[in-house]
């Protein structure tokens, strides 16, 4: 899969484990989307070497912000760095299927009067060691 017209923006705060899990998810699909990480974490990363490995193996821009920066400000400030035609906002604990990303792009290309595309969602909630949908 190769798509240089889409950036995936991932805001994060003190959740490197989830961020690394998400990067591994996209890696499993041979992702070549541009990835923008907007990080305002105050925690120090315990396994920074593992994280740096992922930064090198992807097409990633990594931006840091003061730990008190609200999420919406990180997103707005990071939009200045987007050079692709489309941007997808993905929380560090969400997974968006690459197939869904491509379908969204196709929809937007065919329907130029639209400015956003949304797909189906599935939510899982963990409670008392059980998964509920």
């Amino acid at each position: 899969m190769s798509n240089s017209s889409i950036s995936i923006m991932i805001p994060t705060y003190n959740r490197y484990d989830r961020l690394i899990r998400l990067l591994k998810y996209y890696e499993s699909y041979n992702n070549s989307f541009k990835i923008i990480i907007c990080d305002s974490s105050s925690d120090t990363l315990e396994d920074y070497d593992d994280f740096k490995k992922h930064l090198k193996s992807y097409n990633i821009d990594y931006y840091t912000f003061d730990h008190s920066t609200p999420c919406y400000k990180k997103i707005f400030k990071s939009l200045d760095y987007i050079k692709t035609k489309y941007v997808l906002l993905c929380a560090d604990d969400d997974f968006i299927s690459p197939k869904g990303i491509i379908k969204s792009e196709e929809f937007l290309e065919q329907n130029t009067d639209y400015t956003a595309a949304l797909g189906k969602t599935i939510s899982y909630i963990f409670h008392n060691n059980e998964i509920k949908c």
Side-chain angles (χ1 to χ4, degrees):
M1 172 183 326
S2 173
N3 200 317
S4 60
S5 66
I6 299 172
S7 292
I8 301 173
M9 183 185 294
I10 306 168
T12 191
Y13 178 79
N14 290 346
R15 299 195 312 188
Y16 288 109
D17 58 330
R18 293 177 184 169
L19 182 58
I20 290 170
R21 181 182 66 180
L22 182 60
L23 294 176
K24 287 179 180 179
Y25 167 78
Y26 285 119
E27 182 179 44
S28 73
Y29 284 97
N30 297 317
N31 170 57
S32 62
F33 297 113
K34 179 69 174 176
I35 294 179
I36 311 286
I37 298 174
C38 317
D39 187 3
S40 61
S41 298
S42 60
D43 286 351
T44 56
L45 181 59
E46 291 178 18
D47 195 1
Y48 191 70
D49 290 336
D50 189 36
F51 181 65
K52 280 178 34 181
K53 177 184 79 171
H54 289 287
L55 288 179
K56 288 181 182 179
S57 65
Y58 294 100
N59 188 17
I60 292 180
D61 288 344
Y62 180 74
Y63 300 103
T64 58
F65 296 86
D66 182 79
H67 69 78
S68 64
T69 305
C71 188
Y72 73 92
K73 283 191 178 181
K74 289 190 296 189
I75 293 167
F76 288 142
K77 288 181 182 181
S78 297
L79 286 172
D80 290 338
Y81 304 115
I82 301 292
K83 294 181 177 41
T84 56
K85 185 173 182 178
Y86 300 106
V87 62
L88 172 99
L89 185 60
C90 179
D92 59 10
D93 61 348
D94 288 344
F95 297 92
I96 301 173
S97 76
K99 184 177 177 181
I101 295 170
I102 299 301
K103 285 185 173 241
S104 295
E105 179 192 25
E106 290 170 356
F107 174 83
L108 291 171
E109 287 291 320
Q110 295 169 6
N111 298 278
T112 56
D113 52 331
Y114 282 77
T115 58
L118 302 173
K120 296 177 182 177
T121 63
I122 299 173
S123 296
Y124 292 96
I125 300 170
F126 295 95
H127 182 70
N128 295 332
N129 291 327
E130 293 180 14
I131 299 174
K132 300 182 182 202
C133 296

